[in-house]
Amino acid sequence: MTSFTAARMRRRLAENLTAYGFLCAALVCFATFSWYPIVRGVLLSFQQVDFVNSPTWVGLDNFRRLFADPLFGVAWRNTLLFTGLALVLGFAVPFLVAVVLNELRHATAYFRLVVYLPVMLPPVVVALLWKWFYNPGPGLFNTLLHLVGLPGLSWLDSTSTSMLSLVLVATWANMGTATLIYLAALQTVPPDLYEAAELDGAGVWQRLRHVTIPHTRFVLMILLLLQVVATMQVFTEPYVMTGGGPQDSTVTVLLLLYRYAFVYNDFGTASALSLLLFLVLGIFSAVYFRLTRRSG
């Protein structure tokens, strides 16, 4: 072995050791802050834990306690209702806004900034801001209704409007990211296809249906999955704005989980509920990927 070959092997070994060193550091951080909490949460769901006394193994008692709680079914029903409403608004509205922005030829950077600005606000600030908007007295929305001669609404104090009010807040606060992703996908559609569709007499909705949606289908499917996973974990809006009321109409799964952990000091049952939510979202994601792969 020549000295040149030996030097090259030493250099390559040093480069590999450096790369593996960075990789091991990343794996250690990921295991410490992601894998360990997941495993620890699964173990806690089968224990009685209050972090004061020693944990005791209780088997499935935490799950039985969950299923016996009347709020368990209410929380899941409210969460599914929130997710359904959020899909109608939070999934469709950003796509339509992106289509409009894609058609603009002037001040495009300004409008993109305006759309994305709510994302940069802290979620609690957004919730408090909209809570003032919904105020039945001097709130912005009821003031506008009074100006046009319409009666005010009890936005957050009525079981018929409270959930929709929270969905509007979440849609406004989070639509910026989805809009920009849709906009990036729309700009990859060849302009020749739109020109050919116009020559064939296709209108706006026909171009949207036969050109835009097929060419952005992959992005639409991915964001639909992310939308469901995110909205099933809604917490900030009901916690800050309604506290779960009125009459438990906005109690969500994560809000109930919070109550078990930090109000009832029952971390074992809270972990059991988090494990159920993890399993539901995992099964949904697996089924969704399987169905979309078949349809593709």
Side-chain angles (χ1 to χ4, degrees):
M1 180 181 297
T2 64
S3 59
F4 176 76
T5 303
R8 186 172 60 179
M9 291 183 61
R10 286 194 297 270
R11 185 171 62 254
R12 183 174 299 177
L13 178 62
E15 293 174 353
N16 290 337
L17 289 176
T18 302
Y20 284 122
F22 281 110
L23 179 61
C24 290
L27 290 176
V28 169
C29 291
F30 193 75
T32 303
F33 298 105
S34 294
W35 295 340
Y36 174 75
I38 292 175
V39 175
R40 180 60 174 160
V42 173
L43 294 177
L44 287 179
S45 64
F46 297 99
Q47 296 176 334
Q48 185 64 43
V49 182
D50 56 12
F51 295 111
V52 176
N53 303 306
S54 300
T56 56
W57 192 266
V58 295
L60 298 176
D61 287 351
N62 291 329
F63 295 92
R64 297 189 185 98
R65 187 178 299 108
L66 269 179
F67 295 142
D69 188 350
L71 279 180
F72 178 75
V74 173
W76 280 101
R77 185 172 64 250
N78 291 339
T79 302
L80 292 174
L81 176 60
F82 183 93
T83 300
L85 293 174
L87 287 179
V88 174
L89 296 177
F91 183 69
V93 171
F95 184 72
L96 295 178
V97 172
V99 171
V100 173
L101 291 179
N102 193 49
E103 296 296 325
L104 295 178
R105 294 297 178 265
H106 303 285
T108 56
Y110 169 77
F111 286 110
R112 291 176 190 176
L113 175 63
V114 170
V115 171
Y116 191 75
L117 184 60
V119 179
M120 296 185 286
L121 299 177
V124 174
V125 173
V126 172
L128 292 175
L129 177 64
W130 277 75
K131 188 174 183 179
W132 176 79
F133 288 166
Y134 288 136
N135 191 303
L140 175 63
F141 293 151
N142 279 350
T143 300
L144 295 176
L145 291 176
H146 294 324
L147 289 177
V148 296
L150 296 176
L153 297 175
S154 300
W155 299 93
L156 299 176
D157 299 325
S158 173
T159 56
S160 59
T161 58
S162 56
M163 186 61 75
L164 180 59
S165 300
L166 298 184
V167 171
L168 292 176
V169 178
T171 300
W172 181 83
N174 300 307
M175 66 179 292
T177 301
T179 300
L180 293 186
I181 294 175
Y182 287 138
L183 186 59
L186 290 173
Q187 291 178 349
T188 63
V189 179
D192 297 341
L193 296 178
Y194 290 114
E195 295 175 1
E198 291 179 0
L199 292 176
D200 291 338
V204 175
W205 292 110
Q206 291 176 321
R207 294 197 302 270
L208 181 65
R209 177 183 177 184
H210 297 290
V211 178
T212 304
I213 293 180
H215 281 80
T216 57
R217 180 173 176 272
F218 178 76
V219 175
L220 288 171
M221 291 191 302
I222 294 298
L223 287 185
L224 176 61
L225 175 63
L226 296 178
Q227 175 87 5
V228 172
V229 172
T231 52
M232 286 289 290
Q233 301 177 73
V234 59
F235 172 75
T236 303
E237 289 82 4
Y239 175 74
V240 175
M241 302 181 69
T242 63
Q247 301 178 21
D248 297 324
S249 62
T250 58
V251 174
T252 60
V253 172
L254 280 193
L255 184 58
L256 182 61
L257 189 154
Y258 169 85
R259 289 182 179 180
Y260 271 114
F262 300 105
V263 177
Y264 311 143
N265 202 32
D266 188 352
F267 293 94
T269 306
S271 298
L273 183 55
S274 67
L275 178 59
L276 289 177
L277 180 60
F278 173 79
L279 292 176
V280 168
L281 293 179
I283 293 173
F284 169 78
S285 300
V287 172
Y288 179 84
F289 276 122
R290 188 173 184 85
L291 293 176
T292 52
R293 184 174 57 186
R294 285 181 177 179
S295 63

